[in-house]
Amino acid sequence: MAAGSTAMNAIDLSQPVANILRQGTAAAHERAEHSQGAKWLARGELDKEEYVRFLMMLWHIYDAFERALEQHATHPVLAPTHNPGLFARSANIAADISYLLDVPEESWQSHPLHTTLMATPPPALTQYVGRIRELAASPDPSRLLAHAYVRYLGDLSGGQFIRRRIVKAYGLEDGAGVSFYEFRPLGGASAGTGTTMGDLKKIKEWYRNGMNAGVGDSTELKAAILDEAQLAFDYNTALFDVLNPPSTTSSSGSDVEIDSPLHSPVESTPPTPPATDLSHSSPLVKEQPKVVFEASEPPAEERLVSLSSVIALVAALSITHMVLVIGGFTGERGMVKLEAFQQWLNGLFGGNAA
């Protein structure tokens, strides 16, 4: 694809694949911030039912590529990062869906929300799952690494920010309904809120080292995985595009920059701003002539203020003349007295007397 080709032409493929993917998807990360669906998700603005629908689509995606990773667990490219006890998300997503719908975990797939989704699944979902199954059935499943990278590294990064928004938006407590975003520490027994950002950083470092070891020095393989990562970003952005807008939006209206849970190289087309109707009438009303300049008589209040200012000035001059004559403001001593009197006069008339 064009985006992937451009990225590869500008990147030194002799670097480790983790560096290549970070550099090659940087622009996609920035463009993802313009995805309207990503903004709704990151702000916690999606209606609860729509968020559950989004989780249902994610479950089908994770179920597909985690089955594929398990199928090829011993493949030399995939084996160094294969750790289902640490990364597997599909069971966690199913638990969250069941909790949010308040139904038993074994029955959520028969819920009307899911049966409606799968009756006419969005093309974005079917194409994504279809691509993963295609790779799983291919003689060389190495490109599956790109899909695992995009999803897992995103969940470990921006997904943690989204988790906090989801908890607040839907009033969740004690980690219920957000196990999708929870990871246990490396070597830890279980996941939970006790996992620190430092723990998550160690997991990401472990994963990048595993990618580098699995891919090795093959520039051809590095280019293929970068190309597949760009395709994975396309699929994820397409999922955002099928999200339904929230029934209510945040009062702040500010944009949220996402720390790349779903980087996307596809920039959504911004909505066309509505035309401003200045006439508040039918669009067939003829345009009125433009007024370039219209002079009008000042209001009565302004005329009254001007008149009072003139009277004040005349009074000030009269008082000044009287003081000069009677008070003997002459010579050097008189000039000092005159300056002090003028300062008092300015204060009395609000600085209007000169």
Side-chain angles (χ1 to χ4, degrees):
M1 59 190 304
S5 300
T6 301
M8 284 183 282
N9 290 337
I11 292 176
D12 179 8
L13 294 178
S14 67
Q15 302 177 86
V17 70
N19 294 7
I20 292 171
L21 288 175
R22 184 171 62 249
Q23 296 170 19
T25 60
H29 170 73
E30 183 177 353
R31 288 190 293 266
E33 296 172 2
H34 297 86
S35 170
Q36 186 61 65
K39 292 178 184 179
W40 292 331
L41 177 64
R43 294 179 191 144
E45 291 179 350
L46 291 175
D47 294 345
K48 186 176 180 180
E49 182 176 282
E50 185 63 12
Y51 174 66
V52 173
R53 177 174 169 268
F54 176 65
L55 286 181
M56 289 175 174
M57 290 190 288
L58 286 184
W59 181 87
H60 285 281
I61 293 163
Y62 278 90
D63 181 65
F65 83 73
E66 287 177 350
R67 287 176 183 272
L69 292 175
E70 188 65 32
Q71 177 184 345
H72 299 286
T74 60
H75 189 277
V77 173
L78 304 175
T81 55
H82 184 63
N83 190 338
L86 180 61
F87 290 107
R89 300 289 93 191
S90 54
N92 297 48
I93 296 173
D96 292 345
I97 293 171
S98 301
Y99 180 83
L100 294 170
L101 291 177
D102 194 21
V103 298
E105 191 167 333
E106 63 272 9
S107 64
W108 69 265
Q109 293 192 46
S110 61
H111 190 278
L113 187 60
H114 184 255
T115 55
T116 301
L117 171 67
M118 299 313 295
T120 54
L125 176 59
T126 56
Q127 291 171 9
Y128 199 165
V129 173
R131 176 58 178 172
I132 292 169
R133 290 175 177 169
E134 178 186 359
L135 293 176
S138 68
D140 182 7
S142 300
R143 285 174 175 246
L144 286 170
L145 183 65
H147 292 273
Y149 164 81
V150 169
R151 286 304 327 177
Y152 289 148
L153 270 290
D155 298 336
L156 286 162
S157 301
Q160 302 306 304
F161 174 84
I162 293 175
R163 178 190 182 278
R164 294 192 291 271
R165 291 302 181 101
I166 295 302
V167 167
K168 182 178 180 180
Y170 308 129
L172 304 177
E173 298 178 353
D174 302 324
V178 287
S179 63
F180 167 45
Y181 305 103
E182 294 178 354
F183 291 81
R184 65 173 175 83
L186 277 172
S190 61
T193 55
T195 305
T196 66
M197 296 305 293
D199 293 327
L200 299 178
K201 182 179 179 181
K202 290 178 182 178
I203 296 173
K204 288 186 284 187
E205 290 175 350
W206 179 90
Y207 196 88
R208 293 188 183 106
N209 290 336
M211 288 196 303
N212 294 338
V215 174
D217 297 327
S218 171
T219 57
E220 182 180 355
L221 182 55
K222 292 173 186 177
I225 291 176
L226 175 57
D227 183 69
E228 192 68 28
Q230 296 285 2
L231 187 59
F233 298 149
D234 285 342
Y235 287 136
N236 279 288
T237 297
L239 288 181
F240 283 141
D241 291 341
V242 300
L243 291 177
N244 293 314
S247 56
T248 58
T249 56
S250 170
S251 58
S252 65
S254 60
D255 291 346
V256 176
E257 294 186 359
I258 305 173
D259 187 14
S260 182
L262 300 168
H263 329 214
S264 167
V266 175
E267 185 171 5
S268 56
T269 303
T272 303
T276 304
D277 184 5
L278 299 177
S279 65
H280 300 287
S281 60
S282 167
L284 298 179
V285 175
K286 293 182 178 180
E287 182 181 2
Q288 298 299 319
K290 295 181 179 179
V291 178
V292 178
F293 176 77
E294 182 176 349
S296 60
E297 186 178 2
E301 294 85 359
E302 292 186 10
R303 295 199 306 271
L304 181 59
V305 171
S306 299
L307 179 60
S308 63
S309 299
V310 173
I311 294 174
L313 180 59
V314 172
L317 292 174
S318 299
I319 294 173
T320 302
H321 177 73
M322 178 186 68
V323 173
L324 286 173
V325 174
I326 298 176
F329 284 85
T330 58
E332 183 178 352
R333 181 169 174 270
M335 290 302 297
V336 173
K337 291 183 179 180
L338 180 59
E339 289 178 2
F341 176 73
Q342 286 177 330
Q343 291 177 4
W344 170 82
L345 199 62
N346 286 340
L348 179 65
F349 291 103
N352 290 330

